[in-house]
Amino acid sequence: MMFCRMPGQRLSIRDNAAVGRFHGVSASNGQAISEKHSGSIVRKESGCWHWFQRACPCCVRRQSSSNDVSGDVDGVAPGDVEKERPTPPTLNGDTELDELTLAVRSVDLLSEKSDQNKTEHHTDQYSSDQLIIRRGQTFQIELDLSRPFNPNTDKLHLEMKTGSLPQVSKKTHIIIPLVDELQDERWEAKMVEQKDNRVRLSVNSPVTAVIGKYKLTITTQNLKTGETTTHDHDKDIYMLFNPWCEEDTVYMEGEKELKEYVLNDTGRIYYGTEKQIGARTWNFGQFDEGILEACLFVLDNSDVPPSGRGDPVSVVRVISAMINSPDDLGVLEGNWSGDYAGGTSPTAWSGSVEILRQYHRERGTPVKYGQCWVFSGVTTTVLRCLGIPTRSVTNFQSAHDTDVSLTTDVYLDENMEPINHLNSDSVWNFHVWNDCWMARPDLPPGLGGWQAVDSTPQETSYGTFRCGPASLAAIRSGQVYLKFDTPFVFAEVNSDKIYWQRNLDGTFKQIHSDKKAVGHCISTKAVGSDERVDITHLYKYPEGSEEERIAVETACRYGSKPNVYSSPIADDVQVEVKMEGEGPRMGGDAQLKIVVKNSSSQPRRTTLHSQVAVMYYTGVLKDTVKKDTLNVELNPQEEKTLDWVLPYTQYQDQLVDQAALMLTLSGRVTETQQVLANQTSFRLRTPDLHIESIGEAYVGKETSAKITFTNPLPCTLRDVVIRVEGLGLRDLHPIKVGDVGKHANVTVTEHFVPLIAGKRKLVASLDCRQLSQVHGVTDIDVHESQ
């Protein structure tokens, strides 16, 4: 078996168990192959003839096809040339045999799915017949030689090259010697089995090896004659990061975690609002045919040379930049306009496979279009494919700080109305990014583990649209001075929302702060199940705790407004917005409740100004659809609940993607001049696509699934398309449904032929101008063919 030191294992990883059992030789392995494939031999004459030349040079004469010879031959005058060349003597015994130049006739990389290399390197799920291995772990290859290898007279070494200009100094041209015993942390090979002309080598790589695609060359040399041969193998070797290896910086403990964050090819991505969390299945598909090649193509398209691909921090930073397209023609073009002509609506994607295949197929043309969950899903695919443990993460009420203040600032005029052109900071209903797992030797101790990385293009980092990796431990403690992009991520999850009012002289004063407005219900898929798990505690201390306040104030001292916490303000009246159940549904009136509470021992009066606006999920407002003024009088310790209704007729023609709205409340308490401010986002829930498997499913046999949908709107949906896909079931297939009448039911039947046995997920999404974020999923148990 192959080895990598695991937790608790302190023995040498190069013990006798490294020798694998020798496989039987297939018929093709014993056949001679053409000179084209067998490598180039420096000396053209046979070993026997070469020996005879040295033993008896005076007897050596060249034979001509005719009896006419002109000119000197081997320094012998023409008249002295004999008409017949003497036959060289027959050589017997090992000594004479060793004079023959040793050549490699063929190479077996042992790269079948069931072979030892792929099973022990956890790469047997990749849909490829190439050798895919993980660094820091031995792998084995078999060589078919022209004769038996003799260690006394033969020398052999391997060379592996990656990139367009391999260099030994850059660790992209590797020379691998043949040694008696393998040692850790170096490239070397050991002969572990020999049978006639066939040998098996165990090859070791260091845990710092550059990842990527390598070319293999085998060179042999006769120590007595100096003659050499080279064999350039026609198949590539793919090297990945190794999270199973304790010495690799991406090492992760726990088989359940590795199975989830590296080997799971499907997952869940969360969206909506903190009170209306939705979930959709995403096909990561990191093992699908062509995806590994596509991921390496993404790296090749970047400005980072192959020599920089041994450090996961650098690789993650490159991928963060290359998944978006603004400055480097990366994988996805972002689009938040609502107009997706010429491309695919972001809500219509259900997986990464077709996106990466299209990008690779079109030689680096960005795919249209993506939004945050699409950027995150593709990032998860690429990093898992390369061997870095990764998960998609959703932050609800996610702040976008544009001025590095580490606060989310809301500016109001003298009449408490928002000043829109100044309100560049925004709070997204939700934002999806990624966590990836690695050590951080470039940071102080204790800051390894989960790192936040965000591929959605929001702000530039050192001139490029990218973000991270930022240590979650650093974010949690407010250490925003640590790289990379920690201030931006901190503001996303733990900034305070500060309200500023314009004075008559044009200056601004701080009138209110909301310390719990940002960073709620940070969510990811649970290990081993489709349940949602809340990981907010990894990003921030409990809201309002002393540790959390210290972290916020520590971070803000490094921001552009370090004195923001200098003035305390009255706070005995609170206002909040509540919704019942799962919240309003698309096609009906939106009903919310406004709760105002007086916690003082004195009566309080206030006038609340309310306005609701249609909003992109990014927090950018489109149009205001309703305004109200509410007069509220409160007795001491009284709490009042006010009903608030937005009729369907007022928003039906205004909605954009995600069907999100923002309700803004502002007011001032008459007795204390305390400012009341609250912003609540909510979405109108959309129906699901219901998918039902029809009959039993078997590998290689056609089966079916029924997909049903009900239009929730009192209007006709135009040009409806249902997109269906499933890893191991079928590639992406768009079904043109056409127009769907108001409140009408639609049923379509999808036929497909499963390719892989086991529990597979069939995913469908609806693509329609008037209705987005409609999708469904079902599990299909595929049996082996009978």
Side-chain angles (χ1 to χ4, degrees):
M1 61 180 289
M2 288 159 282
F3 291 87
C4 177
R5 184 178 296 124
M6 298 300 174
Q9 181 179 355
R10 292 293 177 260
L11 297 175
S12 168
I13 62 173
R14 312 299 172 206
D15 56 21
N16 291 335
V19 180
R21 189 173 65 177
F22 190 76
H23 289 197
V25 180
S26 64
S28 61
N29 288 334
Q31 295 173 351
I33 58 177
S34 66
E35 181 181 343
K36 173 182 174 182
H37 295 292
S38 62
S40 57
I41 302 178
V42 174
R43 175 73 71 175
K44 301 297 184 183
E45 296 170 338
S46 72
C48 295
W49 181 245
H50 175 76
W51 178 90
F52 188 54
Q53 277 185 308
R54 292 192 300 164
C56 190
C58 63
C59 298
V60 175
R61 299 291 183 268
R62 293 210 177 168
Q63 180 179 357
S64 174
S65 58
S66 70
N67 292 328
D68 298 324
V69 179
S70 62
D72 291 345
V73 179
D74 290 342
V76 182
D80 297 332
V81 178
E82 297 179 6
K83 294 183 179 181
E84 295 283 356
R85 180 195 295 257
T87 302
T90 301
L91 302 181
N92 298 310
D94 292 340
T95 302
E96 290 82 357
L97 184 61
D98 289 339
E99 291 288 345
L100 296 175
T101 302
L102 181 69
V104 176
R105 296 193 297 187
S106 66
V107 178
D108 185 353
L109 295 180
L110 305 176
S111 59
E112 296 296 324
K113 281 185 178 293
S114 58
D115 281 335
Q116 183 178 353
N117 284 330
K118 285 195 171 179
T119 56
E120 294 199 0
H121 283 253
H122 303 93
T123 58
D124 51 320
Q125 293 186 53
Y126 287 87
S127 298
S128 172
D129 61 355
Q130 306 279 18
L131 177 58
I132 305 170
I133 54 176
R134 300 188 187 275
R135 65 185 192 175
Q137 190 169 344
T138 57
F139 63 96
Q140 299 193 355
I141 64 174
E142 290 181 355
L143 309 180
D144 184 23
L145 306 174
S146 58
R147 61 167 175 78
F149 180 86
N150 187 335
N152 297 319
T153 58
D154 296 324
K155 188 176 181 180
L156 180 150
H157 75 267
L158 312 179
E159 294 183 41
M160 290 176 62
K161 301 176 184 178
T162 185
S164 58
L165 188 62
Q167 294 177 268
V168 173
S169 61
K170 301 291 187 182
K171 299 182 180 180
T172 54
H173 179 181
I174 312 299
I175 300 174
I176 307 173
L178 196 63
V179 298
D180 293 332
E181 293 297 332
L182 297 176
Q183 299 182 34
D184 294 347
E185 292 301 316
R186 64 182 66 183
W187 283 99
E188 53 193 7
K190 176 185 177 181
M191 192 174 296
V192 295
E193 193 107 22
Q194 181 171 3
K195 184 177 181 181
D196 299 328
N197 291 7
R198 200 161 181 84
V199 297
R200 174 177 286 210
L201 303 181
S202 182
V203 185
N204 184 45
S205 64
V207 293
T208 55
V210 168
I211 68 159
K213 181 166 61 176
Y214 285 82
K215 295 288 186 182
L216 173 66
T217 298
I218 302 107
T219 300
T220 61
Q221 181 181 18
N222 188 300
L223 296 176
K224 290 186 177 181
T225 66
E227 296 168 6
T228 62
T229 69
T230 59
H231 176 93
D232 296 315
H233 192 52
D234 57 353
K235 286 192 173 183
D236 298 320
I237 296 176
Y238 293 79
M239 180 72 73
L240 307 178
F241 291 107
N242 194 349
W244 281 266
C245 183
E246 188 175 340
E247 287 86 5
D248 200 316
T249 47
V250 301
Y251 169 71
M252 172 178 269
E253 282 190 287
E255 280 300 321
K256 291 182 180 179
E257 286 76 14
L258 287 163
K259 185 176 180 180
E260 180 67 49
Y261 297 131
V262 182
L263 300 181
N264 197 349
D265 57 5
T266 61
R268 302 278 275 177
I269 294 179
Y270 300 94
Y271 65 95
T273 69
E274 60 177 306
K275 296 177 181 178
Q276 300 165 287
I277 296 176
R280 63 180 303 165
T281 298
W282 193 266
N283 287 330
F284 298 123
Q286 67 267 34
F287 305 121
D288 260 34
E289 185 175 355
I291 296 304
L292 177 55
E293 281 283 358
C295 293
L296 294 177
F297 176 75
V298 172
L299 280 178
D300 290 340
N301 256 18
S302 72
D303 293 331
V304 177
S307 57
R309 300 176 191 173
D311 178 12
V313 174
S314 298
V315 169
V316 164
R317 197 150 169 78
V318 169
I319 294 302
S320 170
M322 285 301 300
I323 298 303
N324 63 68
S325 66
D327 41 31
D328 44 24
L329 295 178
V331 176
L332 275 164
E333 181 177 328
N335 187 340
W336 287 264
S337 71
D339 181 5
Y340 307 119
T344 299
S345 167
T347 58
W349 298 113
S350 294
S352 311
V353 172
E354 182 57 31
I355 294 171
L356 287 166
R357 283 179 179 168
Q358 180 178 328
Y359 183 71
H360 190 200
R361 183 171 61 247
E362 297 182 3
R363 308 309 298 165
T365 300
V367 177
K368 301 177 180 181
Y369 294 103
Q371 291 180 10
C372 68
W373 64 92
V374 188
F375 288 108
S376 173
V378 174
T379 299
T380 298
T381 298
V382 174
L383 294 183
R384 285 187 184 181
C385 185
L386 298 178
I388 299 175
T390 307
R391 62 191 183 188
S392 289
V393 171
T394 302
N395 178 37
F396 293 94
Q397 294 298 102
S398 185
H400 181 177
D401 175 24
T402 59
D403 60 359
V404 203
S405 65
L406 284 88
T407 57
T408 302
D409 300 301
V410 180
Y411 294 93
L412 307 173
D413 63 15
E414 298 83 352
N415 299 317
M416 301 295 287
E417 296 286 338
I419 307 175
N420 291 330
H421 72 277
L422 292 181
N423 290 329
S424 57
D425 287 355
S426 60
V427 178
W428 299 29
N429 283 353
F430 69 95
H431 182 44
V432 189
W433 63 71
N434 296 88
D435 286 344
C436 58
W437 181 273
M438 65 184 68
R440 289 298 299 271
D442 57 322
L443 298 181
L447 297 175
W450 288 117
Q451 313 287 315
V453 55
D454 193 346
S455 298
T456 301
Q458 297 177 89
E459 300 292 330
T460 59
S461 171
Y462 297 91
T464 301
F465 281 100
R466 59 187 169 187
C467 181
S471 166
L472 265 61
I475 295 165
R476 190 171 190 250
S477 60
Q479 295 174 282
V480 296
Y481 46 84
L482 296 172
K483 58 187 180 183
F484 289 95
D485 309 310
T486 309
F488 186 79
V489 183
F490 178 89
E492 287 183 302
V493 301
N494 206 12
S495 58
D496 287 349
K497 183 180 282 188
I498 308 295
Y499 291 80
W500 305 85
Q501 186 177 26
R502 186 168 61 196
N503 298 315
L504 293 176
D505 61 1
T507 60
F508 286 86
K509 64 179 178 182
Q510 179 184 339
I511 59 172
H512 179 68
S513 65
D514 187 347
K515 297 179 173 60
K516 300 180 181 180
V518 165
H520 300 164
C521 303
I522 304 176
S523 303
T524 191
K525 177 185 172 300
V527 172
S529 79
D530 284 339
E531 297 300 314
R532 182 183 70 89
V533 60
D534 192 308
I535 58 170
T536 307
H537 63 284
L538 298 181
Y539 277 87
K540 57 200 286 190
Y541 290 102
E543 290 282 12
S545 67
E546 184 176 5
E547 296 95 331
E548 188 262 346
R549 286 291 90 199
I550 291 172
V552 171
E553 295 180 23
T554 298
C556 285
R557 281 198 288 270
Y558 294 90
S560 59
K561 297 174 182 175
N563 299 318
V564 73
Y565 292 100
S566 57
S567 55
I569 48 183
D571 191 22
D572 57 20
V573 176
Q574 297 85 38
V575 60
E576 65 174 320
V577 177
K578 295 183 177 181
M579 66 180 66
E580 295 180 348
E582 295 181 337
R585 300 193 71 86
M586 176 71 75
D589 295 347
Q591 300 183 19
L592 303 175
K593 295 185 181 298
I594 300 172
V595 179
V596 188
K597 181 179 181 180
N598 175 16
S599 58
S600 76
S601 58
Q602 303 294 323
R604 296 285 186 255
R605 290 176 297 159
T606 185
T607 298
L608 283 178
H609 304 275
S610 73
Q611 70 174 36
V612 63
V614 173
M615 182 180 67
Y616 296 94
Y617 84 95
T618 59
V620 175
L621 300 180
K622 180 176 179 282
D623 294 307
T624 298
V625 295
K626 180 185 178 183
K627 287 187 176 182
D628 274 324
T629 300
L630 305 171
N631 294 312
V632 183
E633 295 186 4
L634 297 168
N635 294 321
Q637 304 296 324
E638 185 182 8
E639 176 179 296
K640 281 189 175 180
T641 299
L642 311 174
D643 291 327
W644 181 91
V645 179
L646 175 65
Y648 171 72
T649 54
Q650 287 190 255
Y651 72 76
Q652 62 177 337
D653 297 325
Q654 301 289 336
L655 291 181
V656 293
D657 284 350
Q658 309 294 328
L661 299 110
M662 168 75 81
L663 174 62
T664 300
L665 301 174
S666 61
R668 191 183 298 273
V669 177
T670 304
E671 291 80 5
T672 64
Q673 298 301 297
Q674 174 193 346
V675 171
L676 301 177
N678 179 282
Q679 288 185 317
T680 299
S681 60
F682 61 97
R683 69 182 180 94
L684 302 169
R685 295 184 64 84
T686 53
D688 293 327
L689 292 178
H690 296 282
I691 309 175
E692 181 183 355
S693 178
I694 302 174
E696 296 289 323
Y698 293 90
V699 172
K701 294 183 178 180
E702 184 177 280
T703 189
S704 305
K706 183 171 66 175
I707 304 170
T708 57
F709 163 71
T710 301
N711 177 8
L713 302 183
C715 64
T716 299
L717 301 179
R718 303 293 182 187
D719 301 321
V720 173
V721 176
I722 295 178
R723 297 158 58 92
V724 185
E725 64 179 299
L727 299 178
L729 297 175
R730 71 156 306 119
D731 289 339
L732 179 63
H733 178 221
I735 304 172
K736 294 183 179 180
V737 177
D739 295 347
V740 179
K742 61 180 182 181
H743 301 304
N745 295 318
V746 172
T747 299
V748 297
T749 302
E750 174 71 349
H751 303 281
F752 53 94
V753 179
L755 302 175
I756 301 175
K759 181 173 286 188
R760 316 304 297 173
K761 291 184 181 295
L762 187 67
V763 182
S765 63
L766 184 139
D767 191 3
C768 170
R769 175 70 177 173
Q770 299 103 314
L771 197 60
S772 65
Q773 209 63 283
V774 177
H775 45 80
V777 62
T778 191
D779 289 331
I780 295 184
D781 290 315
V782 181
H783 307 285
E784 293 288 357
S785 56
Q786 294 179 330

